[in-house]
Amino acid sequence: MACPRWRKLTLQTVALLLLAIVLLLRYSGNFLAHPPFLMDFEVYRTVALRVLHGQADQLYAPTYSSLALFKYAPVWAFAWVPFAVLSSHAGSVLWTTVSVAAFIAACALTQRVCRLAGLSSWAWAPIAATLLLTRVLNEEFLNGQTDTVWVLLMVLGVYGVLANRLWLGAISFALAISLKLPALLFVAYFLLTRRWKLAGQILAYAAVFNVAGSWCLAPQAPWKPLATWLQTLAASAPTRAFEIGAQSFVALCTRYLTADAYPLHLVSMPGPVAVGLALLVEVALFGWLVVSSRARQSRVHLVLDSAMLILMAALFSPTAWLATYTVLVAPLLIAMSLLATRLRRILRDAPSGVLLLAVLMMSWLTHRKAWLLFGIKRIASEEYVFLVVMTAPWFALALLAWLGRQRRVGFPDA
């Protein structure tokens, strides 16, 4: 019994190493030869320079443009300080390497989480998940964003809970929330499923990290960085929530339910009504997840719920972008583990098969060339058809529906 298990782990390691080599050559290696301009990384590097130069009062001020703002909690301002001593070129290569490492670690840890829950896994699953997210990952690495770190922290939090290391889970979730607030969905989930101790620990760590970080940045006014952070989020989210690149569930609803600039609307609701309807649907989906989870709290059930919560954290974010869907790597790997564990049973379920095809189709349609095969070059004046149609949130919704179906019929005993 030990030999096959050892062989499977070896194959998984080989697959992850091959994936790491390909991503490093594609991005870090390419950036080494051709200096890039990573828009988001340049924001982080500018903030790190401000920290080093004692300009914490300018932490959330615009950087190279009025829209290029630092939007993370004060504690994260220190994470990029080592990059401030490097040139923009060297820092970009190093940050991309760190991002690739975080992505590979998230893949490995997600497979570990699945094994802890008693699920099987395919060695090649991380490669398959990466192929499904090729367009999304291109956006992630070419802009130097933080979603690989975000998904790693959320998966590490789930691992800590499963491994009964609540301190590790709490710290990881606290850092994930400080990086991007939609990870607060996990706290709400733990509170409503009566895991009060864990929820309290997460909030306590988040408070300690950010109060300490804020104090270190501005000892003379320790609450100012925290307050400015929240003000920045509140001011910037409404102004950017409905740009062409915005790919949130709220933006999806306004695209198809209001008469915007693109002729895709099914009805012509007033904008506020469409937004309100979207928020109601989000609350209903999260409520269904919580209510159906209270009576069943097995390990498989927690892994399934975590996959759906990660999906919701991206999809329900007020300002989700294409790169935000990098976090789908964890739900995709969990979905593949469910398939590997009960393949025949799941494939015999017709709705599961239809939803699985929808996931694959939506992944394909995130590519511009896919639309060219249909002869669709632009919608209105926009050439990025996949952004107009919003295939990324449709992709996430299809995967969310597939995972929800498994909770009902694929793993009803979970």
Side-chain angles (χ1 to χ4, degrees):
M1 293 296 291
C3 186
R5 179 178 175 82
W6 175 84
R7 187 179 297 116
K8 179 178 285 189
L9 290 174
T10 301
L11 289 173
Q12 288 176 345
T13 302
V14 170
L16 288 168
L17 284 173
L18 287 174
L19 182 59
I21 290 170
V22 170
L23 291 176
L24 287 172
L25 289 175
R26 168 67 180 86
Y27 295 106
S28 298
N30 185 45
F31 294 162
L32 191 61
H34 306 285
F37 179 75
L38 307 183
M39 293 189 298
D40 291 273
F41 171 73
E42 290 302 325
V43 173
Y44 313 146
R45 185 170 175 274
T46 299
V47 165
L49 286 168
R50 290 173 179 175
V51 171
L52 282 183
H53 296 154
Q55 299 173 340
D57 59 325
Q58 297 297 310
L59 200 64
Y60 295 98
T63 54
Y64 58 84
S65 79
S66 60
L67 296 178
L69 302 170
F70 185 66
K71 298 180 183 178
Y72 307 141
V75 66
W76 279 100
F78 298 99
W80 287 279
V81 168
F83 296 91
V85 300
L86 302 174
S87 67
S88 176
H89 184 196
S92 296
V93 173
L94 179 58
W95 174 245
T96 304
T97 303
V98 170
S99 297
V100 169
F103 182 77
I104 298 299
C107 290
L109 194 58
T110 302
Q111 290 186 300
R112 173 62 176 159
V113 162
C114 290
R115 288 195 297 272
L116 280 176
L119 298 172
S120 301
S121 61
W122 292 314
W124 47 265
I127 296 175
T130 301
L131 290 174
L132 290 172
L133 295 172
T134 303
R135 181 64 187 86
V136 172
L137 289 173
N138 211 41
E139 195 77 10
E140 173 76 13
F141 292 121
L142 291 182
N143 287 290
Q145 297 207 11
T146 61
D147 300 289
T148 59
V149 175
W150 194 37
V151 68
L152 174 59
L153 287 171
M154 288 189 284
V155 173
L156 187 59
V158 177
Y159 171 78
V161 176
L162 282 175
N164 202 28
R165 300 175 183 174
L166 295 187
W167 61 270
L168 176 61
I171 289 174
S172 301
F173 281 128
L175 290 173
I177 291 165
S178 302
L179 188 60
K180 296 196 176 186
L181 277 181
L184 273 169
L185 280 174
F186 276 96
V187 175
Y189 172 83
F190 291 136
L191 282 171
L192 295 172
T193 54
R194 303 183 182 91
R195 295 179 175 95
W196 297 299
K197 180 180 179 181
L198 176 58
Q201 287 180 326
I202 295 171
L203 292 175
Y205 276 117
V208 169
F209 291 156
N210 288 296
V211 169
S214 189
W215 182 83
C216 289
L217 288 167
Q220 70 284 359
W223 297 107
K224 187 175 180 180
L226 271 175
T228 309
W229 167 50
L230 295 175
Q231 290 167 3
T232 300
L233 290 178
S236 62
T239 59
R240 306 205 65 189
F242 303 104
E243 294 180 5
I244 179 59
Q247 300 287 292
S248 68
F249 182 70
V250 170
L252 177 73
C253 289
T254 59
R255 178 62 40 82
Y256 286 91
L257 299 178
T258 68
D260 65 1
Y262 305 100
L264 296 177
H265 54 281
L266 305 174
V267 296
S268 298
M269 290 183 179
V273 174
V275 171
L277 180 61
L279 295 175
L280 283 175
V281 172
E282 291 178 358
V283 171
L285 286 172
F286 179 73
W288 165 79
L289 181 66
V290 168
V291 170
S292 59
S293 299
R294 285 180 172 176
R296 299 179 296 172
Q297 296 187 8
S298 70
R299 289 190 162 200
V300 173
H301 196 256
L302 177 60
V303 170
L304 258 167
D305 285 4
S306 297
M308 298 180 75
L309 287 167
I310 291 172
L311 272 166
M312 289 179 184
L315 190 61
F316 297 171
S317 175
T319 52
W321 310 101
L322 192 61
T324 309
Y325 291 94
T326 296
V327 302
L328 265 62
V329 66
L332 281 170
L333 288 173
I334 291 169
M336 291 180 195
S337 285
L338 299 176
L339 280 168
T341 304
R342 295 188 183 175
L343 182 61
R344 292 183 180 179
R345 180 172 183 174
I346 292 174
L347 292 183
R348 283 198 299 264
D349 179 58
S352 292
V354 171
L355 289 170
L356 186 58
L357 287 175
V359 169
L360 298 175
M361 177 63 74
M362 288 302 123
S363 170
W364 180 56
L365 290 177
T366 58
H367 297 272
R368 186 181 177 186
K369 291 181 179 179
W371 293 97
L372 293 177
L373 290 176
F374 296 107
I376 303 175
K377 296 182 179 180
R378 60 177 57 86
I379 295 179
S381 60
E382 182 57 61
E383 293 184 356
Y384 290 96
V385 175
F386 61 90
L387 291 179
V388 177
V389 177
M390 306 190 75
T391 50
W394 285 122
F395 181 14
L397 284 170
L399 183 55
L400 187 66
W402 189 89
L403 290 166
R405 181 68 180 173
Q406 304 324 303
R407 292 172 82 252
R408 182 176 178 183
V409 297
F411 291 79
D413 54 336

Short mmCIF file of all heavy atoms in Angstrom, two decimals, residues 17 29 33 45 57 65 75 79 110 115 177 190 192 204 246 250 290 306 311 313 323 335 387:
data_model
loop_
_atom_site.label_atom_id
_atom_site.label_comp_id
_atom_site.label_asym_id
_atom_site.label_seq_id
_atom_site.Cartn_x
_atom_site.Cartn_y
_atom_site.Cartn_z
N LEU A 17 6.84 20.44 -10.36
CA LEU A 17 8.14 20.97 -10.78
C LEU A 17 8.11 21.38 -12.25
O LEU A 17 8.63 22.44 -12.62
CB LEU A 17 9.24 19.93 -10.55
CG LEU A 17 9.70 19.75 -9.10
CD1 LEU A 17 10.67 18.57 -9.00
CD2 LEU A 17 10.36 21.02 -8.58
N GLY A 29 11.66 34.41 -16.59
CA GLY A 29 12.73 34.36 -17.57
C GLY A 29 12.55 35.40 -18.67
O GLY A 29 13.49 36.07 -19.08
N ALA A 33 14.92 39.02 -19.53
CA ALA A 33 15.48 39.46 -20.81
C ALA A 33 14.82 40.73 -21.33
O ALA A 33 15.46 41.54 -22.02
CB ALA A 33 15.35 38.34 -21.84
N ARG A 45 5.82 48.76 -5.06
CA ARG A 45 7.20 49.23 -4.91
C ARG A 45 7.23 50.70 -4.49
O ARG A 45 8.04 51.10 -3.65
CB ARG A 45 7.96 49.02 -6.22
CG ARG A 45 9.44 49.38 -6.14
CD ARG A 45 10.18 48.92 -7.39
NE ARG A 45 11.56 49.36 -7.34
CZ ARG A 45 11.99 50.55 -7.75
NH1 ARG A 45 11.11 51.42 -8.25
NH2 ARG A 45 13.26 50.88 -7.66
N ASP A 57 2.39 58.87 5.74
CA ASP A 57 1.17 59.67 5.56
C ASP A 57 0.72 59.68 4.09
O ASP A 57 -0.41 60.06 3.78
CB ASP A 57 1.39 61.09 6.06
CG ASP A 57 2.54 61.78 5.34
OD1 ASP A 57 3.53 61.09 5.01
OD2 ASP A 57 2.44 62.99 5.11
N SER A 65 -0.44 57.15 -11.29
CA SER A 65 -1.64 57.73 -11.88
C SER A 65 -2.69 57.88 -10.78
O SER A 65 -2.54 57.33 -9.69
CB SER A 65 -2.18 56.86 -13.02
OG SER A 65 -2.90 55.75 -12.52
N VAL A 75 -0.58 46.60 7.37
CA VAL A 75 0.45 45.60 7.64
C VAL A 75 1.13 45.13 6.37
O VAL A 75 2.31 44.76 6.37
CB VAL A 75 -0.17 44.40 8.41
CG1 VAL A 75 -1.19 43.65 7.55
CG2 VAL A 75 0.92 43.46 8.91
N ALA A 79 5.42 44.27 3.44
CA ALA A 79 5.76 43.07 2.69
C ALA A 79 6.65 43.38 1.50
O ALA A 79 7.46 42.53 1.08
CB ALA A 79 4.48 42.37 2.23
N THR A 110 -3.41 22.71 -1.81
CA THR A 110 -4.80 22.31 -2.08
C THR A 110 -4.90 20.80 -2.23
O THR A 110 -5.84 20.17 -1.71
CB THR A 110 -5.32 22.99 -3.36
OG1 THR A 110 -5.22 24.41 -3.21
CG2 THR A 110 -6.77 22.62 -3.62
N ARG A 115 -6.28 15.48 0.30
CA ARG A 115 -5.87 14.19 0.88
C ARG A 115 -6.26 14.11 2.36
O ARG A 115 -6.66 13.04 2.84
CB ARG A 115 -4.36 13.98 0.72
CG ARG A 115 -3.93 13.71 -0.71
CD ARG A 115 -2.52 13.16 -0.77
NE ARG A 115 -1.53 14.10 -0.28
CZ ARG A 115 -0.92 15.02 -1.02
NH1 ARG A 115 -1.24 15.14 -2.30
NH2 ARG A 115 -0.02 15.83 -0.50
N ILE A 177 -7.54 38.36 4.83
CA ILE A 177 -8.52 39.44 4.98
C ILE A 177 -7.82 40.80 4.87
O ILE A 177 -8.34 41.73 4.25
CB ILE A 177 -9.25 39.31 6.32
CG1 ILE A 177 -10.17 38.08 6.31
CG2 ILE A 177 -10.06 40.58 6.64
CD1 ILE A 177 -10.64 37.66 7.67
N PHE A 190 -17.71 30.88 9.48
CA PHE A 190 -17.36 30.22 10.74
C PHE A 190 -18.27 30.67 11.87
O PHE A 190 -18.65 29.87 12.74
CB PHE A 190 -15.89 30.49 11.09
CG PHE A 190 -14.91 29.81 10.17
CD1 PHE A 190 -13.80 30.49 9.69
CD2 PHE A 190 -15.10 28.50 9.77
CE1 PHE A 190 -12.90 29.87 8.84
CE2 PHE A 190 -14.20 27.86 8.91
CZ PHE A 190 -13.10 28.56 8.45
N LEU A 192 -21.45 31.71 11.59
CA LEU A 192 -22.80 31.18 11.38
C LEU A 192 -22.87 29.66 11.44
O LEU A 192 -23.97 29.11 11.59
CB LEU A 192 -23.34 31.68 10.04
CG LEU A 192 -23.55 33.21 9.96
CD1 LEU A 192 -23.89 33.64 8.55
CD2 LEU A 192 -24.65 33.63 10.93
N ALA A 204 -9.18 38.56 15.94
CA ALA A 204 -8.19 39.06 16.90
C ALA A 204 -6.83 39.24 16.23
O ALA A 204 -6.17 40.28 16.41
CB ALA A 204 -8.09 38.10 18.08
N ALA A 246 -14.07 45.47 -15.11
CA ALA A 246 -14.68 44.94 -13.88
C ALA A 246 -15.45 43.67 -14.20
O ALA A 246 -16.29 43.65 -15.09
CB ALA A 246 -15.60 45.99 -13.26
N VAL A 250 -21.85 41.71 -9.46
CA VAL A 250 -22.68 42.92 -9.56
C VAL A 250 -22.55 43.53 -10.96
O VAL A 250 -23.54 43.91 -11.59
CB VAL A 250 -22.28 43.94 -8.49
CG1 VAL A 250 -22.94 45.29 -8.74
CG2 VAL A 250 -22.66 43.44 -7.10
N VAL A 290 -24.51 28.40 4.16
CA VAL A 290 -24.42 28.33 5.62
C VAL A 290 -25.49 27.41 6.19
O VAL A 290 -25.21 26.52 7.00
CB VAL A 290 -24.54 29.73 6.23
CG1 VAL A 290 -24.74 29.65 7.74
CG2 VAL A 290 -23.30 30.56 5.91
N SER A 306 -15.24 25.31 1.46
CA SER A 306 -14.12 26.23 1.30
C SER A 306 -13.91 26.57 -0.17
O SER A 306 -13.61 27.73 -0.51
CB SER A 306 -12.84 25.62 1.89
OG SER A 306 -12.98 25.41 3.27
N LEU A 311 -14.50 30.84 -4.26
CA LEU A 311 -15.18 31.32 -5.46
C LEU A 311 -15.99 32.58 -5.18
O LEU A 311 -15.94 33.56 -5.93
CB LEU A 311 -16.09 30.23 -6.01
CG LEU A 311 -15.49 29.22 -6.98
CD1 LEU A 311 -16.42 28.02 -7.14
CD2 LEU A 311 -15.25 29.87 -8.33
N ALA A 313 -15.58 34.70 -2.76
CA ALA A 313 -14.72 35.83 -2.40
C ALA A 313 -14.27 36.59 -3.65
O ALA A 313 -14.17 37.82 -3.63
CB ALA A 313 -13.50 35.33 -1.62
N ALA A 323 -7.80 39.11 -13.37
CA ALA A 323 -6.75 38.47 -12.58
C ALA A 323 -7.25 37.92 -11.26
O ALA A 323 -6.68 36.96 -10.72
CB ALA A 323 -5.61 39.45 -12.34
N ALA A 335 -12.41 20.40 -7.25
CA ALA A 335 -13.37 19.77 -8.16
C ALA A 335 -12.76 18.53 -8.81
O ALA A 335 -13.42 17.49 -8.95
CB ALA A 335 -13.82 20.76 -9.22
N LEU A 387 -14.39 40.27 -22.20
CA LEU A 387 -14.66 41.18 -21.10
C LEU A 387 -16.08 41.72 -21.16
O LEU A 387 -16.74 41.88 -20.14
CB LEU A 387 -13.67 42.35 -21.12
CG LEU A 387 -12.21 42.04 -20.78
CD1 LEU A 387 -11.38 43.31 -20.86
CD2 LEU A 387 -12.08 41.41 -19.40
#
